[in-house]
Amino acid sequence: MIMKYLAQSKKEQGFTLLETLVAISILVLAITATFSVAQNGLSSSMEARDQVIAFYLAQEAVEMVRNKRDENSLTRIGTPSTHWLSGIAEQVSDPCYFGKVCTVDAVSKVFTACPGGTGTCANVYQDTNNQSNTFGLYSQNTAWTQTNFNREISLSQATSTEMTISVTVKWVRGLLTRTFTVQEIIRDWQ
């Protein structure tokens, strides 16, 4: 009876090697799943951040074209010969003339034709060092930090008093190139 009790007691004292391996496998699976969920959440938040930046860069370009149109309309009060698209797309020599691709530097309010007029524009830069109290702004200022965002503006004329603005923002995340496009129709309001 005593031998039977000792034999039974030894069996119940510890884990077998198989039980230990199963327990470790379950623990590793639980930790791996947790890290996988955390990594997916981080990746999703970075993608969402990039989409928000792309949206604002596109909207900023639309607003810059609108602002130029409005400035021209106000100039026409004193100088009636000013065209509503002056400096943007009035003449073939203008940076965003119909059929050309251009970009805008919102800080300096300058429109620039992209290489060849139909090529890819340079990526935008961001002030990450608070140069000139412009921290966080995006510009074509090459002294700032280059981003992976590329903004292109193209204009097409529907009528003599109406045009379509199309802004495409492209960026690379990992191996994929993402694209965000905004289109808006504006009119000569005078």
Side-chain angles (χ1 to χ4, degrees), residues 38-185:
Q39 182 181 7
N40 286 342
L42 183 60
S43 178
S44 294
S45 71
M46 290 171 68
E47 181 63 29
R49 180 200 64 193
D50 287 349
Q51 289 176 357
V52 168
I53 291 170
F55 169 78
Y56 282 123
L57 286 172
Q59 189 61 36
E60 178 181 62
V62 169
E63 293 300 327
M64 293 303 298
V65 172
R66 272 188 181 163
N67 185 47
K68 188 65 175 165
R69 181 238 7 224
D70 293 347
E71 284 177 5
N72 289 337
S73 294
L74 291 173
T75 301
R76 282 172 34 190
I77 294 170
T79 313
S81 63
T82 303
H83 193 271
W84 72 289
L85 296 175
S86 178
I88 306 172
E90 176 188 12
Q91 303 171 9
V92 176
S93 60
D94 285 338
C96 298
Y97 190 75
F98 306 114
K100 289 184 179 180
V101 177
C102 67
T103 191
V104 64
D105 185 335
V107 175
S108 64
K109 299 180 182 176
V110 173
F111 290 88
T112 308
C114 295
T118 59
T120 301
C121 298
N123 285 1
V124 295
Y125 294 81
Q126 183 181 21
D127 184 5
T128 57
N129 298 322
N130 200 20
Q131 299 171 358
S132 308
N133 295 320
T134 55
F135 184 74
L137 291 181
Y138 291 83
S139 170
Q140 295 303 123
N141 184 346
T142 57
W144 293 357
T145 305
Q146 186 174 11
T147 68
N148 63 344
F149 292 96
N150 177 289
R151 174 171 56 191
E152 298 177 352
I153 305 167
S154 61
L155 307 175
S156 58
Q157 190 167 15
T159 66
S160 62
T161 60
E162 183 177 277
M163 75 171 178
T164 302
I165 306 167
S166 180
V167 181
T168 302
V169 178
K170 299 175 192 166
W171 70 99
V172 176
R173 173 65 56 196
L175 298 174
L176 301 174
T177 299
R178 307 284 188 186
T179 303
F180 182 82
T181 302
V182 171
Q183 286 190 336
E184 186 166 325
I185 297 172

Side-chain angles (χ1 to χ4, degrees), residues 1-67:
M1 175 97 164
I2 292 178
M3 279 307 239
K4 187 176 178 184
Y5 176 72
L6 285 176
Q8 197 174 26
S9 172
K10 271 189 166 181
K11 272 182 157 178
E12 297 172 0
Q13 281 184 358
F15 291 107
T16 64
L17 181 59
L18 183 60
E19 290 171 327
T20 304
L21 288 174
V22 168
I24 290 173
S25 297
I26 290 172
L27 183 62
V28 167
L29 279 173
I31 291 172
T32 303
T34 302
F35 283 131
S36 177
V37 168
Q39 182 181 7
N40 286 342
L42 183 60
S43 178
S44 294
S45 71
M46 290 171 68
E47 181 63 29
R49 180 200 64 193
D50 287 349
Q51 289 176 357
V52 168
I53 291 170
F55 169 78
Y56 282 123
L57 286 172
Q59 189 61 36
E60 178 181 62
V62 169
E63 293 300 327
M64 293 303 298
V65 172
R66 272 188 181 163
N67 185 47

